[in-house]
Amino acid sequence: MIKVAIILGSTRPGRNGEAVAKWVYELAKTRSDAEFELIDIKDFNLPLLDEPVPPSMGRYSQEHTKAWAAKIDTFDAFVFVTPEYNHGTSGALKNAIDFLYKEWNNKAAGFVGYGSAGGTRAVEQLRLVMGELQVADVRAQVALSLFTDFENMTTFKPAARHERSLNTMFDQVIAWGGALKTLRDRT
Ligand SMILES: Cc1cc2nc3c(=O)[nH]c(=O)nc-3n(C[C@H](O)[C@H](O)[C@H](O)COP(=O)(O)O)c2cc1C
């Protein structure tokens, strides 16, 4: 079975992202076609990128980079849970992504975005980033609205229909994650 990381991409005190990521993880655990782990980038205490050599060269010097790389390396696919900040993803998530290179390559990804416009602009931005990292991003995504999926913009109460899109996204991520694992195993 492939391993899928659900990556919580916001670090702000009082973040809505935590409830969203937990919802994604709880639904994931009802599936039997992959193993899932919830990864909170906050736990890795990454500073602003402080590696002297570009990550694509694979010469990590800092202990925090090595720990982050070792964790991400264990996964075959990712689900990024992203807020939308100023029409992009969070600086914290972009920074965490930028720290690594080969640990992302030839894997699959899906997205759960949230914000006033469902986090769609943040997800579009992440899709561009995935291209450079050689990550295959699936079509299906979950777009959660601050106005209709959160009470008072803070208490997460997702509309029932999102469960279906979340499962469709998982179907696609798991299928592509499995296909790309075969590719990685061959090379
Ligand atoms: C710095 C900042 C910028 C934001 N910019 C946008 C934005 O451009 N579009 C949007 O839909 N929501 C925006 N929001 C609202 C966030 O999407 C919303 O607060 C969300 O809950 C943030 O995720 P978090 O609670 O996990 O940090 C912004 C919030 C912050 C803190």
Side-chain angles (χ1 to χ4, degrees), residues 6-26 38-43 81-83 85 112 114 144 150 153-158:
I6 295 158
I7 298 182
L8 167 49
S10 73
T11 54
R12 199 175 62 86
R15 58 193 174 171
N16 280 328
E18 198 165 318
V20 176
K22 282 185 177 152
W23 170 75
V24 173
Y25 182 54
E26 289 307 318
L38 182 51
I39 301 294
D40 186 347
I41 56 172
K42 202 164 183 272
D43 293 340
V81 177
T82 181
Y85 292 163
V112 175
Y114 56 97
L144 300 161
F150 293 82
M153 295 198 189
T154 49
T155 307
F156 186 46
K157 299 225 168 137

Side-chain angles (χ1 to χ4, degrees), residues 1 44 65 67 84 106 114 138 168 171:
M1 265 204 301
F44 289 82
T65 314
E84 182 170 303
N106 293 319
Y114 56 97
V138 303
T168 305
D171 290 344

Side-chain angles (χ1 to χ4, degrees), residues 21-164:
K22 282 185 177 152
W23 170 75
V24 173
Y25 182 54
E26 289 307 318
L27 193 132
K29 283 196 297 183
T30 64
R31 302 180 61 111
S32 52
D33 50 355
E35 285 172 29
F36 302 91
E37 191 174 331
L38 182 51
I39 301 294
D40 186 347
I41 56 172
K42 202 164 183 272
D43 293 340
F44 289 82
N45 289 316
L46 295 167
L48 288 175
L49 181 61
D50 61 350
E51 285 291 341
V53 178
S56 57
M57 310 290 284
R59 301 212 311 262
Y60 304 142
S61 64
Q62 309 281 5
E63 287 311 311
H64 51 253
T65 314
K66 290 176 189 168
W68 177 231
K71 177 48 86 176
I72 292 303
D73 201 40
T74 61
F75 296 105
D76 304 293
F78 310 101
V79 170
F80 292 99
V81 177
T82 181
E84 182 170 303
Y85 292 163
N86 296 316
H87 290 201
T89 191
S90 68
L93 179 56
K94 180 61 165 57
N95 185 58
I97 290 172
D98 289 345
F99 257 98
L100 309 179
Y101 190 71
K102 75 171 172 41
E103 294 78 9
W104 302 116
N105 295 171
N106 293 319
K107 295 179 179 177
F111 307 96
V112 175
Y114 56 97
S116 58
T120 50
R121 294 165 291 212
V123 170
E124 286 301 300
Q125 190 192 59
L126 278 171
R127 289 184 185 280
L128 287 177
V129 175
M130 294 297 119
E132 177 58 12
L133 293 171
Q134 302 184 66
V135 174
D137 51 313
V138 303
R139 176 175 185 260
Q141 72 186 58
V142 181
L144 300 161
S145 164
L146 274 183
F147 302 116
T148 54
D149 295 308
F150 293 82
E151 238 173 49
N152 300 321
M153 295 198 189
T154 49
T155 307
F156 186 46
K157 299 225 168 137
R161 67 188 167 85
H162 294 301
E163 279 196 19
R164 199 165 38 174

